[in-house]
């Protein structure tokens, strides 16, 4: 004899928390971290196209704004938002390291003079 499990009354069930505060918080943190990272790096005085690598952290943050399809996927917003904010903070400095490395390699292979 199979009996269905008892249903929990709506008054006892915990309310669903909204999904959007986590991506909103990480978006604000990414904007602040990205602005601080950009202004504290040497590429801030360069041409505007050097800010192009910020498209990657913005894409990661945009993915964190997708609403969860299941209750277990709320962690996705947390992970993507945190990773996007960290990438935005370090993006300008990583771009500087890459540009200096490319410049050094080009200088070394052209004869060093």
């Amino acid at each position: 004899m199979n009996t269905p499990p008892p249903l929990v009354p709506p008054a006892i069930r915990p309310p669903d928390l909204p999904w959007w505060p986590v991506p909103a918080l990480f978006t604000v943190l990414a904007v602040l971290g990205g602005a601080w990272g950009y202004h504290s790096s040497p590429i801030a005085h360069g041409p505007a196209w050097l800010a192009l690598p910020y498209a990657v952290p913005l894409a990661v943050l945009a993915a964190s704004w997708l609403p969860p399809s299941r209750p277990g996927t709320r962690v996705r917003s947390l992970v993507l938002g945190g990773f996007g904010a960290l990438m935005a903070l370090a993006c300008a400095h990583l771009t500087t390291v890459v540009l200096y490395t490319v410049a050094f390699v080009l200088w070394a292979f052209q004869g060093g003079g």
Side-chain angles (χ1 to χ4, degrees), residues 86-101:
L86 184 63
M87 282 176 53
L89 178 64
C91 189
H93 295 287
L94 290 175
T95 303
T96 303
V97 168
V98 168
L99 288 175
Y100 280 147
T101 303

Side-chain angles (χ1 to χ4, degrees), residues 13-102:
R13 250 186 288 160
D16 283 339
L17 297 174
W19 61 270
W20 58 267
V22 171
L25 173 69
F26 282 123
T27 301
V28 170
L29 288 176
V31 169
L32 293 175
W36 180 66
Y38 187 74
H39 287 294
S40 67
S41 73
I43 68 170
H45 305 291
W49 65 269
L50 288 175
L52 212 56
Y54 279 101
V56 175
L58 290 178
V60 172
L61 281 170
S64 75
W65 275 95
L66 294 172
S69 57
R70 297 182 311 272
T73 59
R74 290 180 184 223
V75 176
R76 179 193 64 197
S77 293
L78 182 68
V79 171
L80 287 174
F83 187 64
L86 184 63
M87 282 176 53
L89 178 64
C91 189
H93 295 287
L94 290 175
T95 303
T96 303
V97 168
V98 168
L99 288 175
Y100 280 147
T101 303
V102 168

